[in-house]
Amino acid sequence: MSRPQEFQILIVDDEKVQREMLAGFLNKLGYRTVAAEDGAGALERYSSGSFDLVLTDFRMPGMDGFALLKEMKRRNPEAVVVIMTAYGTVNTAVAAMKEGAYDYLTKPIDLDELLLRIQRVEREALLKRENRELKDELRRKFQVDFIVTASGKMEEALNLVGRVAPSQATVLILGESGTGKELFARAIHYASPRAGKPLVKVNCAALPETLLESELFGHEKGAFTGAVARRVGRFEQADGGSIFLDEIGDLSPALQAKLLRVLQEKEIERVGSNQTLKIDVRVIAATNRNLEEAIRKGSFREDLYYRLNVVTLTLPPLRERKEDIPILVDHFLKKYSRENKKEVASTTKEVRDLLMQHEYPGNVRELENIIERAVVLGRGNALTLQDLPLNLRESKAEIPRGELREGTSLPETLENLERQLVLRALERSGGIQTRAAEELGINERVLRYKMKKYKISEKE
């Protein structure tokens, strides 16, 4: 991986030997480092420099690592801070992660583990920078803000958009309904050299086969009953630009064969005509179906699948990227407050907690509908539980209380509760540790540490 020359790390530790050891190790690998011996010095250096990562000890005289973390996040919410501690208790780790720590390391520091953590921060920083540049370009050209996200998975998808958009490649976007497939199709088109030409959208599931064929390819006058004039189809309308074929998995076998010819030959024929028309159209297709399963069942052509599947973009459901919920809520609050001429600027904590717990079978579209309804019907400047739909309030999940026994210490009670939360998250995720970690608001490494600590096997 190419390292950005400006990547800079601030090391904060009151032990000189530790500071020098870490700085020497990182400098040899080509990183730029600045050191501070306490929290006050760290804040002074942080204010006067640009740091991609802060490595700070937890236990220091004066301002400790926890206070330093809170102050840095107050000054810069995007600050990336990794806590180093010899006191790796549940309370220390959980408190630091809740305050926005990126991760934590236990002393003595495993240098290989440290390097892996830094490389992950580098990759994410590179993705964010490229995505910011792409978004800025889109805003500058078209004055639209397509995608709101803080999710690593969505950032990777957006990064892929930036790389595939300048090409002529066909793109297949996979994802459940409501995950934003059309938004990504728009992003691909408007970041491409075809941006000045039309982006034509067709929902393949919305029309019966006879009408859909005419919609896609057009027809001649008299081609069928009701064809009183020539009609130009969507492919002709999109000439020079892009066509977005949504719900491509619903195409009939006959239309699949015709679409395959379009992709292979770059030409179409209107219904009722023998004239062949050459077209220059980029196809972006999307579906919420499993096309490989459809191929096995014989309902989708394998050759068409491979023509469509030149580049695949998979969008995760909202339940797998819950870190996006808070910023999406704020985005929709602003949008629908402005549209409805209301001043709804926030929500209560209870509303935020409930929205974070919901599973969203309808994904982002469902969340948007919830917020729009609440803004329209709400009576105050902040949304309350009473502004949310009744079915959502009634589905509020109970937080497990754990087994409280007389004489149990607070640390033991917290550990019992934490073990239950980990077990339930693993159960709900079907044992998929990535999803369980996301639900718990921690990363996979921390989850594996807790599984080992509480003797939770991967099969439980």
Side-chain angles (χ1 to χ4, degrees):
M1 179 178 61
S2 61
R3 176 167 303 125
Q5 292 184 353
E6 70 274 14
F7 196 92
Q8 189 166 226
I9 301 171
L10 175 60
I11 301 170
V12 190
D13 200 306
D14 59 322
E15 296 180 12
K16 183 179 180 182
V17 173
Q18 180 80 353
R19 291 197 308 272
E20 292 179 347
M21 182 272 291
L22 291 173
F25 171 71
L26 295 173
N27 290 340
K28 285 181 181 178
L29 294 173
Y31 293 99
R32 295 174 58 193
T33 62
V34 174
E37 63 182 14
D38 56 30
L43 287 175
E44 181 179 347
R45 288 164 176 77
Y46 189 77
S47 299
S48 61
S50 177
F51 295 93
D52 299 276
L53 174 64
V54 178
L55 292 172
T56 179
D57 191 20
F58 184 81
R59 180 80 49 102
M60 296 184 294
M63 176 183 289
D64 63 15
F66 189 72
L68 177 61
L69 165 68
K70 291 177 69 174
E71 179 59 23
M72 283 186 169
K73 296 297 283 188
R74 187 189 69 80
R75 296 186 182 189
N76 177 16
E78 294 188 1
V80 180
V81 181
V82 172
I83 299 287
M84 301 181 293
T85 178
Y87 306 89
T89 64
V90 171
N91 289 345
T92 298
V94 170
M97 302 296 275
K98 282 184 177 179
E99 287 297 330
Y102 180 83
D103 210 336
Y104 72 93
L105 293 165
T106 54
K107 290 184 175 182
I109 300 298
D110 183 323
L111 295 179
D112 289 333
E113 190 80 13
L114 171 63
L115 182 57
L116 286 174
R117 204 74 80 260
I118 293 173
Q119 288 173 340
R120 190 172 70 193
V121 173
E122 281 188 276
R123 287 193 296 270
E124 292 179 6
L126 181 61
L127 274 174
K128 288 180 179 179
R129 182 166 61 254
E130 290 177 348
N131 292 339
R132 277 196 298 269
E133 291 171 356
L134 173 61
K135 286 182 178 179
D136 288 344
E137 181 69 15
L138 291 170
R139 292 191 192 100
R140 186 166 61 252
K141 286 185 176 180
F142 305 101
Q143 298 301 305
V144 287
D145 190 3
F146 286 114
I147 298 157
V148 177
T149 185
S151 160
K153 291 181 179 179
M154 291 292 277
E155 291 283 1
E156 288 179 11
L158 191 55
N159 182 265
L160 182 59
V161 167
R163 286 181 283 142
V164 73
S167 74
Q168 300 298 318
T170 302
V171 180
L172 179 61
I173 307 176
L174 304 177
E176 297 177 8
S177 293
T179 49
K181 297 188 290 294
E182 184 177 333
L183 289 179
F184 272 82
R186 289 171 58 197
I188 292 168
H189 173 75
Y190 288 123
S192 77
R194 297 174 178 266
K197 296 291 185 177
L199 169 63
V200 177
K201 298 169 238 178
V202 183
N203 187 329
C204 299
L207 295 171
E209 179 182 352
T210 52
L211 293 180
L212 182 58
E213 182 179 8
S214 172
E215 188 75 15
L216 289 172
F217 307 117
H219 63 251
E220 296 291 346
K221 180 180 179 180
F224 51 83
T225 303
V228 296
R230 170 184 284 180
R231 175 186 175 88
V232 174
R234 296 300 184 93
F235 270 98
E236 282 186 80
Q237 293 174 20
D239 194 33
S242 308
I243 189 167
F244 175 51
L245 301 177
D246 200 7
E247 306 302 346
I248 194 75
D250 290 86
L251 278 183
S252 68
L255 285 179
Q256 289 179 37
K258 291 197 173 187
L259 178 59
L260 179 62
R261 182 187 172 194
V262 172
L263 292 172
Q264 290 175 333
E265 308 297 335
K266 307 294 184 185
E267 59 186 31
I268 63 167
E269 288 181 5
R270 297 192 191 104
V271 177
S273 172
N274 293 323
Q275 182 184 5
T276 298
L277 302 173
K278 283 289 185 181
I279 56 164
D280 173 24
V281 176
R282 182 188 201 165
V283 174
I284 305 170
T287 183
N288 60 10
R289 297 186 177 225
N290 185 329
L291 293 185
E292 293 181 352
E293 180 65 24
I295 291 170
R296 286 192 289 271
K297 291 180 177 178
S299 60
F300 201 85
R301 295 180 63 117
E302 186 173 16
D303 48 3
L304 176 58
Y305 172 71
Y306 287 116
R307 280 285 179 179
L308 293 170
N309 192 27
V310 176
V311 176
T312 302
L313 193 62
T314 302
L315 304 184
L318 188 55
R319 63 182 174 275
E320 293 182 9
R321 51 183 180 100
K322 289 200 168 184
E323 63 269 38
D324 275 349
I325 293 175
I327 62 171
L328 285 168
V329 169
D330 291 338
H331 173 72
F332 294 138
L333 278 176
K334 291 178 183 176
K335 176 181 177 181
Y336 291 109
S337 295
R338 184 172 59 249
E339 288 185 7
N340 293 282
K341 295 181 173 56
K342 300 185 76 171
E343 295 183 1
V344 184
S346 62
T347 72
T348 64
K349 182 179 183 300
E350 290 77 14
V351 167
R352 293 268 172 170
D353 290 344
L354 182 52
L355 292 174
M356 287 296 292
Q357 290 174 22
H358 189 52
E359 289 298 299
Y360 298 99
N363 291 293
V364 178
R365 189 180 296 126
E366 180 183 359
L367 175 60
E368 181 174 6
N369 290 343
I370 289 171
I371 300 301
E372 181 180 11
R373 175 193 182 277
V375 170
V376 170
L377 300 180
R379 297 178 179 177
N381 294 331
L383 298 185
T384 68
L385 286 176
Q386 296 307 310
D387 298 322
L388 299 181
L390 180 61
N391 65 321
L392 184 64
R393 302 200 304 268
E394 290 179 342
S395 68
K396 183 175 181 180
E398 290 188 4
I399 298 174
R401 297 179 179 276
E403 184 180 343
L404 297 178
R405 298 189 302 272
E406 188 175 349
T408 305
S409 66
L410 179 59
E412 185 179 354
T413 301
L414 289 172
E415 290 186 1
N416 288 338
L417 175 59
E418 186 174 48
R419 187 177 192 279
Q420 287 187 52
L421 289 169
V422 170
L423 282 169
R424 293 192 184 191
L426 287 167
E427 181 181 353
R428 281 192 292 270
S429 69
I432 300 175
Q433 294 181 20
T434 304
R435 293 183 182 176
E438 287 178 354
E439 179 180 329
L440 293 166
I442 58 179
N443 61 47
E444 275 189 86
R445 189 197 69 81
V446 176
L447 176 61
R448 288 194 295 271
Y449 162 77
K450 294 182 184 302
M451 290 173 67
K452 182 177 180 181
K453 176 180 179 180
Y454 298 125
K455 297 181 173 59
I456 299 173
S457 69
E458 295 187 4
K459 296 181 180 179
E460 282 194 58

